[in-house]
Amino acid sequence: MTEVKPVIGLEDVFGTRARELRRLQHKLFETYADAGYEEVIPPLVERPQTLNTGAGRFLEDQTLVFSDPADAGLLAIRPDITPQIARIAATRMQDSDELKLYYSGQVMAARPDARTGSRQQWQTGVECLGLSGEEGDVEVMHLAALSMHAAGFNAPVLQVGHMGLIQAIVSESSTAMEVWSKLLSRRSPEDMKAHLQSESMSQDHKDALIVMVSGQADRDWLESGKTLLGDEFNHAASELMHLVDTVNTRLSGEVEVNIDAAVMPRFLYHSGIVFSGFSAGASQALLHGGRYDAMMALHGRDMPATGFSFDLWAWLDAV
Amino acid sequence: MPETITTNKPLTIALSKGRILDDTLPLLKHADLVPNENVKTTRKLMVDGPLLKTKSGSTRIRFLIIRAADVCTYVEQGAADIGIVGRDILLEHKPDVYEPLDLKIGVCRLCVCGPKALVEKGRLKEGSRIKVATKYDQLAEQYFRDHGIQAEIIHLYGSMELAPLVGMAERIVDVVETGGTLKANGLIEETTLYDISSRLIVNPASFATRKAIIQPIIETLREAVALNSAANTTS
């Protein structure tokens, strides 16, 4: 008998693990349905340009593309479901002004994750489209916190930032946002200082970036920085503080929601608020979300959009 | 509820074995993070430390004494909350960890080196083909690719300096501290790729969920580093 080797980075799930996954999935679906959300089930494959529109280079690098014998074109396996939701909202659901959708399905990356060796995720998430800025942001963050609580996260923390803050600080720099995002994600003041030597921005702006990578860009700092960093920064800061306050009053302390201006999105398609969810004992952030209006516009429907997603398997391992 | 869970779990600090450890311990002492046993002589891999008082209760500190290259892995996987590791390893492996503090210890350089006669012939031309012995496969590959040189990377676990002597490689990429070993083996530095020192690294989820314990440790160590470098410049 010939031995069939398993495909790199893919696994089968059965027994207890499959049952646990379905139980958790069911619990989350109930939470979303109670909040007025409806399920949407997109296909596994898309045209590559659908997945890449407004999604940045990172996602393009992670997309597995193959030729379609039936259509004589290229098809791609989705590495992320959000662009599919954007497509659906801009085409088949264009008659609804307001869309509240949730989804749960497998996605596949072209390369194995360096830490886990896995190429697959059971991406589950929520997208809120058409609801004005504040209303949509608050609703989605609140739902993210409820999800973490429902899943039984240990000492859950939702860290919230705002892309408007970093955009305001580096608006006069020609360095790509991808580079800033990497520097902020590494949180190394030394690396940031070394990079800033070749930037010509004001000292106040440089100091702000150092504070951000030092893990001290919290609420107190936003309040104290108001006079120095310009109107665009102040606007984003006020919006962020107001949103976090509103979410905190809606919650009754199940989840700690706090401000960290250095929170960066996983994929760089976000514009307004951006957030990450953590559970004590899990090694990395388990939930990512934020506002992505620009992607909607590029899909041909200019409407506000906020959402979040997570990997059900990673959640299962964490709780 | 969260308080009791987090305070009962020890805060784990992964330390690199070897020479760095001598420079690490005084910094830890400044932050009152002293292991209960002599970590340089014990054969235990996990050693308890002090009980750290915080606003929300007290937390036991626990130390892991492991190989430098493994510190990244323990912290990235969340098995340790904090670690101390050389920048060379962070650059090579690019783990998903925070790097909040340069400890300014274990200072050295990551260099391309080669036999004196070869290096003195001048820079390698674009399109040339060489063999490179290193344990930094990614960094070496990237450097030569960026310079249009086709490099065959030969991975070694130590004593890179030997490879050119036996004709197995024309260059090595390795950390250089004093240059003594290079000189003894007839090699010289060609280029410095990075300045290296040891860094404090923190697991991102630990930082988010245990910030009240971790941030003060970072700040105390920052003071210790400043005192250390002040002492070094005056002496």
Side-chain angles (χ1 to χ4, degrees):
Chain A
M1 203 179 85
T2 52
E3 189 197 350
V4 180
K5 285 208 290 183
V7 181
I8 289 173
L10 302 184
E11 67 168 324
D12 303 303
V13 176
F14 42 81
T16 318
R17 196 163 153 79
R19 276 199 303 278
E20 289 296 326
L21 181 128
R22 290 297 182 195
R23 194 174 300 153
L24 177 59
Q25 190 184 38
H26 181 71
K27 207 188 279 181
L28 293 165
F29 282 6
E30 274 183 347
T31 308
Y32 305 144
D34 287 350
Y37 282 67
E38 285 202 36
E39 185 172 10
V40 55
I41 308 176
L44 269 176
V45 295
E46 286 280 345
R47 293 192 193 285
Q49 60 267 36
T50 301
L51 296 172
N52 298 337
T53 301
R57 211 184 68 200
F58 177 79
L59 220 47
E60 200 173 326
D61 288 349
Q62 280 294 8
T63 307
L64 200 134
V65 180
F66 58 97
S67 71
D68 175 14
D71 198 32
L74 290 177
L75 284 181
I77 300 180
R78 60 187 182 189
D80 182 18
I81 294 178
T82 303
Q84 295 190 293
I85 304 294
R87 170 185 63 74
I88 295 169
T91 55
R92 292 191 169 136
M93 291 182 131
Q94 58 180 311
D95 292 339
S96 318
D97 294 333
E98 203 179 283
L99 294 167
K100 295 185 172 188
L101 306 169
Y102 71 87
Y103 54 84
S104 184
Q106 298 199 47
V107 298
M108 184 177 165
R111 277 174 266 278
D113 180 78
R115 186 172 53 87
T116 62
S118 174
R119 289 205 281 175
Q120 62 188 159
Q121 287 193 0
W122 198 302
Q123 196 184 16
T124 303
V126 159
E127 312 291 351
C128 176
L129 304 124
L131 222 59
S132 79
E134 178 183 332
E135 211 182 333
D137 288 342
V138 169
E139 178 160 323
V140 166
M141 280 198 279
H142 182 238
L143 209 46
L146 290 183
S147 305
M148 288 159 67
H149 181 64
F153 273 30
N154 182 5
V157 175
L158 192 67
Q159 287 191 332
V160 191
H162 195 301
M163 290 306 284
L165 299 170
I166 178 70
Q167 281 159 355
I169 294 172
V170 304
S171 61
E172 282 169 21
S173 160
S174 56
T175 305
M177 190 49 78
E178 209 178 316
V179 175
W180 292 116
S181 168
K182 273 193 184 143
L183 280 166
L184 289 172
S185 301
R186 207 179 312 138
R187 306 274 177 120
S188 162
E190 281 80 14
D191 289 354
M192 183 59 91
K193 276 179 206 159
H195 175 85
L196 288 176
Q197 282 177 357
S198 59
E199 296 281 346
S200 60
M201 62 183 77
S202 81
Q203 194 56 45
D204 287 337
H205 287 69
K206 288 185 176 180
D207 290 345
L209 289 166
I210 303 288
V211 171
M212 284 170 88
V213 289
S214 303
Q216 290 159 338
D218 54 13
R219 184 187 193 92
D220 293 345
W221 175 72
L222 284 185
E223 276 171 347
S224 69
K226 281 203 155 177
T227 50
L228 301 168
L229 297 163
D231 292 344
E232 206 189 323
F233 181 91
N234 293 343
H235 179 73
S238 315
E239 186 175 85
L240 175 58
M241 287 189 284
H242 174 68
L243 289 170
V244 168
D245 289 347
T246 315
V247 173
N248 270 324
T249 42
R250 268 221 215 171
L251 291 166
S252 31
E254 305 97 328
V255 175
E256 182 188 331
V257 182
N258 60 37
I259 291 175
D260 188 329
V263 171
M264 285 289 118
R266 209 159 45 116
F267 311 127
L268 273 175
Y269 54 60
H270 291 93
S271 41
I273 54 146
V274 53
F275 49 88
S276 298
F278 295 90
S279 169
S283 61
Q284 303 289 330
L286 291 171
L287 175 146
H288 300 271
R291 173 161 288 281
Y292 58 96
D293 301 359
M295 183 200 272
M296 282 311 303
L298 288 167
H299 275 267
R301 192 169 175 199
D302 197 355
M303 72 196 299
T306 315
F308 64 83
S309 74
F310 50 86
D311 176 14
L312 262 187
W313 276 320
W315 277 34
L316 209 54
D317 293 337
V319 292
Chain B
M1 173 202 75
E3 255 69 23
T4 51
I5 292 169
T6 49
T7 48
N8 285 341
K9 190 177 162 262
L11 186 87
T12 306
I13 304 179
L15 304 176
S16 295
K17 266 184 194 168
R19 264 182 303 174
I20 294 182
L21 202 50
D22 294 332
D23 296 334
T24 305
L25 294 173
L27 290 175
L28 291 175
K29 193 169 176 225
H30 181 92
D32 289 327
L33 300 171
V34 181
N36 292 349
E37 292 175 47
N38 185 341
V39 290
K40 285 190 279 187
T41 53
T42 183
R43 304 191 67 165
K44 280 193 197 166
L45 301 170
M46 189 158 78
V47 172
D48 272 345
L51 209 57
L52 204 68
K53 296 264 186 292
T54 54
K55 277 180 214 157
S56 56
S58 52
T59 302
R60 173 69 66 194
I61 302 292
R62 185 168 75 177
F63 296 95
L64 309 181
I65 322 297
I66 48 184
R67 288 176 67 106
D70 291 336
V71 169
C72 274
T73 310
Y74 276 78
V75 175
E76 188 183 31
Q77 297 280 354
D81 301 285
I82 297 177
I84 291 173
V85 65
R87 186 179 175 220
D88 51 334
I89 290 164
L90 296 169
L91 288 165
E92 173 71 14
H93 297 288
K94 298 189 174 58
D96 281 326
V97 296
Y98 293 162
E99 304 175 21
L101 185 60
D102 189 329
L103 298 169
K104 299 194 166 62
I105 56 173
V107 177
C108 55
R109 305 179 303 284
L110 187 74
C111 297
V112 179
C113 310
K116 193 161 183 278
L118 270 185
V119 172
E120 282 174 351
K121 268 207 241 166
R123 291 234 163 192
L124 289 160
K125 289 196 183 67
E126 266 193 33
S128 52
R129 200 176 181 291
I130 56 161
K131 290 182 179 178
V132 180
T134 186
K135 64 174 173 184
Y136 303 96
D137 298 17
Q138 306 292 334
L139 296 174
E141 223 264 344
Q142 191 192 332
Y143 170 77
F144 288 107
R145 193 179 52 222
D146 290 350
H147 288 77
I149 296 159
Q150 302 183 63
E152 182 188 328
I153 307 294
I154 300 172
H155 184 88
L156 293 178
Y157 293 92
S159 304
M160 317 310 154
E161 294 87 354
L162 181 59
L165 300 185
V166 294
M168 189 161 73
E170 286 93 41
R171 293 290 189 277
I172 65 171
V173 172
D174 199 9
V175 288
V176 178
E177 198 181 335
T178 59
T181 316
L182 287 181
K183 204 173 169 193
N185 291 288
L187 305 179
I188 58 169
E189 287 173 40
E190 187 172 54
T191 321
T192 297
L193 301 185
Y194 297 99
D195 288 319
I196 306 294
S197 51
S198 289
R199 291 184 166 191
L200 187 80
I201 59 172
V202 179
N203 175 276
S206 298
F207 189 77
T209 56
R210 311 185 80 181
K211 195 175 175 184
I213 313 170
I214 292 174
Q215 188 81 45
I217 292 179
I218 297 173
E219 296 317 321
T220 324
L221 286 172
R222 198 184 302 282
E223 277 170 30
V225 172
L227 287 173
N228 228 359
S229 27
N232 286 345
T233 44
T234 50
S235 66

